[in-house]
Structures are given as C-alpha cells and as structure tokens.
Amino acid sequence: MTNLTTPTLPSIVGLPGAAPAAALVPADFDFVRTFVKREAAITLEDGKEYLVTSRLTPLVQRHGAGDLAGLIGRLRMNPASALGREVVDAMTTNETSFFRDIHPFESLRTDVLPELIRARGARRSLRIWCGAASSGQEPYTIALVIKEHFPELSSWDIQILGTDISPSMLAKAQAGSYSQLEVNRGMPAPMLVKYLQRHGAHWVLRDDIRKMVRYAPLNLAQRFPATLGRFDAVFMRNVLIYFDVPTKTSILRQTRTHLADDGFLILGGAETTVGVDNDYRRVLLGRTVWYRAA
C-alpha cells in the first residue's frame, strides 16, 4: 500500500555517481511538505527533513538539477509538471507483501467470499477493489485465493481493481514480476510453483492470474471518479493511518458510496471507522474485523 513511513536510510554520500546530499534549507522543506500535503494528503512533520533529502536526492541527478535547492526551485516554477508527479511518487513508501497479515485472507476465504457467492448467485459476478494496491501483492493475493479455493467462480465475471497514486508501483504491479525476496515474504511455496514461473532472477505470475486484476491510478485524497462504480468488497488496508482525520473521513465516506449495501470493507489492524465515520458497523469474522454499512 502506498503510504508514508520512516525508512531505514541508505547512505547517499560517497556512492559512485550520487548527487551530493546538500542540507535542505527550511524554506525548501516547508515548500515540499506543503506541496505533498496538497497533492496527496501526505503529512511531513517537523524533523522529517532527512526523509525529504533521502527521497529527492536521486531526482537531482536524474533531472540534472545540481542540488536539492535547484530541484526544488524547478518544482516551484512548475509544480504541475512531470517533476511534480515524480516528487509525489518519491515521497510515498510502498510496503506490502503477499498474504500480508494472513488472517484477512483466511477470513476472505472462510466467511466473506462464501456469503458474497450466495448473495450474488443470480448475477454471477463479483467486484473487489484494493484502494492502495502498491506493487500489486494484495490484489494478486485475492486473485490467488479465488483461483485456488473457489473453482465454481471460473464461469463468473470476477473483477479485481487495484488503484494507487504511484505510477512506478502501478507499472510494477501490472508486470506481475517479483524478486525472490518479494515472493519469500508471504507466498506459500506450493502456490509459488503452481502460479508463478521463474524468469531469471524474478518470478512472474501466470497470465490467467494477472488478467484477473486491472490497475488504474487513483489519488485517495481527491474526489473519487463516478466511473469507479460499486464493489462487493473493498480493501483499504494500512493507508488511512498516514492521513489526518478530515482526509480519513473523506476517504471513508466516499468509499461507502462505492460499496454495495451488503458489501464488506476491511482496514488495517491499526485503523478503524470509529470516531471517523460512524455510518459503518464493525463485524468480527474469525480473527478479522470487517466493516459494513450501518
């Protein structure tokens, strides 16, 4: 899920070809944090200058800007440029894995999907949305659960949508190609050899799995497009914690308008609708909390 976290900082001084890590002056830091707050609702607190420096330094060399001041000067001149989109992309962290936290996917298999299958038997279709898809492991995990455990759905219209603000993450997700380290994080060995193929140093998902998921750009901090449609289940995990309360409220209210009346919403373990949008009710299924319209 694309979000903002505090990473372990790599050394950016003394690497061959690396741009110098010049100090970030307060005025430039304030401009960057105002910019990313406006564009993506990302909040940079005081003391996060090192994070901006580490994330934007690679862009200095890519754009031939000389130093951070030069890069941010270009951003000031044209914030709506491709550079602006790259800065937002750089300031998001993408932490995800296959079968992350496992219990939500167990509950999806044992409780949520069986109920939805009974309710949707007449129309024979399901729509599932991952609102912060990052590099694709979550939506592909949902596809794998369906493929592995629900053969009766092979004749249904199954639509899984993964959206994210990061163009680079969406490109990676669409490729469906993952390193050994990435598949080692959560992918069961039997599923690895059954649904992915080895290509050099990477593992690539089978075409039939990749075709189950469609990816599209979407900024959760902005108004959702009407064309988004309605969904039977929405995964909005581990992203709300990085927004302020008004942004969380906006996201949850908009999500509710795109959730079927009997649909399911799941948030991250540290997230809740309580005190943010009370038009949801909490439902405990197995060891997982889901939310449904109140």
Side-chain angles (χ1 to χ4, degrees), residues 12 32 50 63 66 71 87 103 124 153 207 216-217 232 253 287:
I12 56 175
V32 170
Y50 70 91
H63 287 270
L71 183 80
V87 167
H103 298 301
R124 300 175 64 83
L153 296 182
D207 286 347
D232 304 299
R253 286 179 178 171
R287 299 175 63 178

Side-chain angles (χ1 to χ4, degrees), residues 157-280:
D157 178 18
I158 305 296
Q159 299 179 30
I160 304 172
L161 174 65
T163 64
D164 203 272
I165 193 175
S166 170
S168 61
M169 288 298 101
L170 288 173
K172 178 176 174 60
Q174 287 171 332
S177 177
Y178 299 97
S179 68
Q180 187 68 56
L181 178 61
E182 288 171 318
V183 296
N184 283 348
R185 295 186 63 200
M187 177 66 75
M191 281 193 169
L192 175 63
V193 297
K194 185 174 181 179
Y195 294 109
L196 290 89
Q197 298 173 329
R198 189 70 178 263
H199 288 262
H202 284 73
W203 291 85
V204 179
L205 283 153
R206 281 180 1 195
D207 286 347
D208 59 328
I209 302 299
R210 289 169 55 202
K211 289 177 180 178
M212 292 177 67
V213 184
R214 179 174 66 87
Y215 292 97
L218 191 146
N219 185 341
L220 294 173
Q222 297 177 354
R223 184 179 295 276
F224 297 177
T227 54
L228 190 61
R230 298 188 60 158
F231 296 90
D232 304 299
V234 175
F235 283 65
M236 196 70 69
R237 301 174 64 219
N238 306 307
V239 65
L240 294 184
I241 54 174
Y242 300 103
F243 296 126
D244 58 23
V245 173
T247 304
K248 292 177 184 178
T249 301
S250 173
I251 292 171
L252 286 173
R253 286 179 178 171
Q254 290 193 83
T255 297
R256 188 158 30 87
T257 67
H258 292 279
L259 183 66
D261 293 340
D262 61 345
F264 293 84
L265 166 68
I266 186 168
L267 306 177
E271 299 165 329
T272 181
T273 65
V274 177
V276 183
D277 184 343
N278 292 322
D279 286 331
Y280 288 94

Side-chain angles (χ1 to χ4, degrees), residues 6-20:
T6 302
T8 301
L9 292 181
S11 173
I12 56 175
V13 180
L15 292 176

Side-chain angles (χ1 to χ4, degrees), residues 7-256:
T8 301
L9 292 181
S11 173
I12 56 175
V13 180
L15 292 176
L24 184 67
V25 300
D28 284 346
F29 174 67
D30 287 341
F31 177 81
V32 170
R33 69 173 173 178
T34 299
F35 173 75
V36 297
K37 173 69 173 179
R38 182 181 70 246
E39 296 297 316
I42 293 172
T43 300
L44 292 171
E45 300 172 349
D46 290 337
K48 296 289 187 178
E49 290 86 351
Y50 70 91
L51 185 62
V52 174
T53 299
S54 67
R55 297 289 180 83
L56 298 190
T57 293
L59 298 184
V60 172
Q61 185 175 18
R62 188 183 308 164
H63 287 270
D67 57 18
L68 276 174
L71 183 80
I72 295 170
R74 294 186 185 185
L75 182 64
R76 288 177 184 271
M77 292 175 61
N78 191 2
S81 63
L83 173 60
R85 294 189 291 274
E86 288 185 57
V87 167
V88 171
D89 196 356
M91 291 309 303
T92 57
T93 294
N94 305 282
E95 173 59 26
T96 187
S97 62
F98 290 103
F99 293 91
R100 186 179 183 183
D101 305 325
I102 194 59
H103 298 301
F105 299 102
E106 291 179 347
S107 178
L108 178 71
R109 176 178 61 84
T110 59
D111 301 289
V112 173
L113 283 174
E115 179 170 336
L116 289 175
I117 290 170
R118 289 191 295 270
R120 303 295 186 266
R123 81 180 197 201
R124 300 175 64 83
S125 67
L126 285 174
R127 296 194 79 223
I128 300 173
W129 174 32
C130 295
S134 187
S135 47
Q137 285 93 320
E138 181 177 80
Y140 284 135
T141 297
I142 296 169
L144 289 171
V145 169
I146 291 172
K147 193 75 171 181
E148 180 74 3
H149 299 288
F150 297 92
E152 67 270 30
L153 296 182
S154 61
S155 60
W156 283 40
D157 178 18
I158 305 296
Q159 299 179 30
I160 304 172
L161 174 65
T163 64
D164 203 272
I165 193 175
S166 170
S168 61
M169 288 298 101
L170 288 173
K172 178 176 174 60
Q174 287 171 332
S177 177
Y178 299 97
S179 68
Q180 187 68 56
L181 178 61
E182 288 171 318
V183 296
N184 283 348
R185 295 186 63 200
M187 177 66 75
M191 281 193 169
L192 175 63
V193 297
K194 185 174 181 179
Y195 294 109
L196 290 89
Q197 298 173 329
R198 189 70 178 263
H199 288 262
H202 284 73
W203 291 85
V204 179
L205 283 153
R206 281 180 1 195
D207 286 347
D208 59 328
I209 302 299
R210 289 169 55 202
K211 289 177 180 178
M212 292 177 67
V213 184
R214 179 174 66 87
Y215 292 97
L218 191 146
N219 185 341
L220 294 173
Q222 297 177 354
R223 184 179 295 276
F224 297 177
T227 54
L228 190 61
R230 298 188 60 158
F231 296 90
D232 304 299
V234 175
F235 283 65
M236 196 70 69
R237 301 174 64 219
N238 306 307
V239 65
L240 294 184
I241 54 174
Y242 300 103
F243 296 126
D244 58 23
V245 173
T247 304
K248 292 177 184 178
T249 301
S250 173
I251 292 171
L252 286 173
R253 286 179 178 171
Q254 290 193 83
T255 297
R256 188 158 30 87

